[in-house]
Amino acid sequence: ALKNNCLKSNIPFRFTQVCSVSNPVSNFESSKTIRSRSVLKVEKFLRLPVWPVVPGLFYILLDLLRLTGLAAFLEQRTGGRVCPMFFAPYMQTDPFIMCVHHRHSFWWWDPIRPIFRLLMPEGFPAHPHRGFETVTYMLDGALTHRDSTGVKQRYGKESAQWMTAGRGMLHEEMWDTSLPSHELYQIWVNLPSASKMAPPRSQLIGDEVTLGHSLGPIPTHHNSECTVRVLGGSYGNTHSPVQTHSPIFIFRVTVQPGGKFQHSMPPDHSCTLYVRRGKAVVTGEEVGTFSTAFLDNTGEIVEVVNEGKDELDFLLLGGQRLKEPIATGGSMVMTNDSEISQAYENYNKGTFGVPWDHTLTDDLWEEHVRKYESLMR
């Protein structure tokens, strides 16, 4: 039978970072001047047209005509672009490697869709990973996951999957195209060198988990000014049940007009902010829609203010820096080039398992992963 439950973890603890919600700076002496982290730089990454491609191309034209607000408005409603954000230099965002924002629609009446489907499957067929974790957070729609360890999962709106590739695995992620609208973040988190060869596992969190075991709904803190969804780590007394290999936090935050968000930050933690909707103000600097802000290390808190008339919606990534060497090659993340070469050698020899066709039925896929068993479990 398919193994729908998460793989058992060999890590019996959860990292947490606690701050006071009502007074996030209460851990510091009242006589000390509390500094807010400043913005080092703001970057707006390229948004690429896909699913559906024609509207995505139209949004690019609007951006070139400096109608970026209209392009963002239309994209948020109809989809058609993906934004891969490769964080560089890595030591600035350590342990976060990249974040991808997807916004897509699959319309049955789209005349281009059958042609485009011949060129590109509607999803991501089986591919290998080693040495890091992927965090896939669905804001809308649903994904179906199958992997080389025999696990199948399906999760939808306001649900997330934490997949530890560890020593190596193959997985596929296919859109549930019976639903017209899809939006997600996928975040790549580096693993400490001591954990890079950990057994693969997958943890699910959220309400819309229709295949697989959920650890529960995404813990959420509400107050009159903001709502904080805690995908990982802790915000005040709100803790994620997800186990991580190093102290990190991932929050989705919405702030009402005139409101603000605060969170205490240890000095050895990186902090990165991506604005999905609205405009954020961080220590006086404005960060607009679809922009990424990289914060410095010289403050004890991060403070984000919404000075606009509309709700602010942003993703906040933070974590203790690993301060270790990193080497990346395609879909592998290790500490040096020799380990990257070894990873691909293992993959090519079939020790991760053998890729399967994404059109296989579940019975045929299950038969395939039994026949070509992964040695990385």
Side-chain angles (χ1 to χ4, degrees):
L2 299 178
K3 294 186 292 181
N4 295 331
N5 290 332
C6 301
L7 300 179
K8 290 184 178 179
S9 169
N10 60 347
I11 301 180
F13 55 87
R14 178 183 71 233
F15 286 105
T16 60
Q17 178 190 10
V18 181
C19 69
S20 169
V21 174
S22 59
N23 182 12
V25 298
S26 61
N27 293 331
F28 303 99
E29 296 179 7
S30 58
S31 59
K32 181 179 179 180
T33 300
I34 304 302
R35 298 169 298 174
S36 297
R37 291 208 175 188
S38 299
V39 175
L40 281 174
K41 68 173 181 177
V42 176
E43 190 165 352
K44 200 165 187 177
F45 292 86
L46 184 65
R47 307 183 79 79
L48 306 174
V50 66
W51 298 321
V53 67
V54 173
L57 290 170
F58 178 63
Y59 307 150
I60 291 176
L61 176 61
L62 291 177
D63 284 338
L64 292 174
L65 295 173
R66 299 184 183 276
L67 299 172
T68 55
L70 178 60
F73 174 84
L74 293 174
E75 179 185 327
Q76 288 166 351
R77 279 151 183 79
T78 61
R81 288 202 288 190
V82 59
C83 181
M85 296 167 265
F86 298 96
F87 298 149
Y90 164 73
M91 65 280 296
Q92 190 170 265
T93 59
D94 179 12
F96 296 95
I97 303 163
M98 65 177 288
C99 176
V100 185
H101 182 198
H102 290 265
R103 176 67 182 94
H104 308 300
S105 296
F106 297 95
W107 302 316
W108 64 268
W109 48 265
D110 180 0
I112 304 298
R113 184 179 170 193
I115 301 170
F116 197 75
R117 195 160 39 196
L118 294 174
L119 304 174
M120 186 176 181
E122 292 177 335
F124 309 93
H127 55 281
H129 290 306
R130 172 181 278 182
F132 68 104
E133 294 183 298
T134 63
V135 182
T136 306
Y137 172 34
M138 297 297 305
L139 289 87
D140 197 12
L143 271 183
T144 299
H145 160 103
R146 298 191 298 190
D147 67 41
S148 54
T149 70
V151 171
K152 179 177 180 179
Q153 298 171 330
R154 184 185 181 279
Y155 54 103
K157 186 174 182 178
E158 287 304 328
S159 300
Q161 180 204 59
W162 286 68
M163 190 193 78
T164 305
R167 62 181 65 144
M169 69 187 301
L170 305 174
H171 77 135
E172 70 173 14
E173 304 158 291
M174 305 303 293
W175 303 107
D176 181 350
T177 56
S178 67
L179 301 173
S181 180
H182 299 262
E183 185 176 8
L184 67 76
Y185 294 120
Q186 185 169 94
I187 304 152
W188 286 23
V189 184
N190 196 12
L191 286 172
S193 57
S195 300
K196 285 188 175 292
M197 298 302 284
R201 66 170 176 176
S202 183
Q203 303 173 83
L204 290 173
I205 183 173
D207 289 325
E208 287 198 17
V209 174
T210 55
L211 189 60
H213 171 69
S214 175
L215 298 173
I218 295 175
T220 303
H221 166 80
H222 298 277
N223 63 33
S224 60
E225 297 187 45
C226 66
T227 298
V228 184
R229 296 170 178 86
V230 182
L231 281 75
S234 298
Y235 181 74
N237 294 321
T238 305
H239 312 290
S240 169
V242 170
Q243 295 178 336
T244 64
H245 288 261
S246 65
I248 64 174
F249 65 82
I250 299 178
F251 301 155
R252 179 190 171 192
V253 183
T254 53
V255 184
Q256 299 307 308
K260 69 179 177 181
F261 162 86
Q262 288 184 328
H263 186 51
S264 63
M265 293 290 299
D268 60 347
H269 279 50
S270 65
C271 190
T272 306
L273 180 151
Y274 170 75
V275 177
R276 175 176 173 252
R277 290 182 180 173
K279 293 181 180 179
V281 177
V282 182
T283 56
E285 183 154 353
E286 185 176 283
V287 185
T289 301
F290 296 159
S291 296
T292 305
F294 303 91
L295 307 189
D296 65 14
N297 304 324
T298 58
E300 293 80 19
I301 64 168
V302 55
E303 182 175 274
V304 182
V305 180
N306 181 3
E307 296 181 354
K309 297 180 180 179
D310 301 314
E311 182 181 76
L312 168 65
D313 186 336
F314 65 92
L315 182 71
L316 191 68
L317 310 176
Q320 186 178 67
R321 289 181 170 84
L322 302 179
K323 300 179 181 179
E324 295 179 340
I326 184 172
T328 59
S331 58
M332 313 290 189
V333 180
M334 301 301 290
T335 59
N336 56 59
D337 292 339
S338 175
E339 291 177 344
I340 294 290
S341 298
Q342 183 65 56
Y344 278 105
E345 182 179 335
N346 292 157
Y347 165 64
N348 290 329
K349 287 181 177 179
T351 55
F352 287 25
V354 174
W356 55 91
D357 191 290
H358 69 278
T359 62
L360 288 183
T361 64
D362 285 343
D363 287 342
L364 290 176
W365 161 74
E366 189 179 12
E367 181 181 328
H368 177 96
V369 296
R370 282 200 304 265
K371 182 178 179 180
Y372 303 102
E373 184 177 4
S374 170
L375 302 180
M376 297 289 106
R377 301 188 186 199

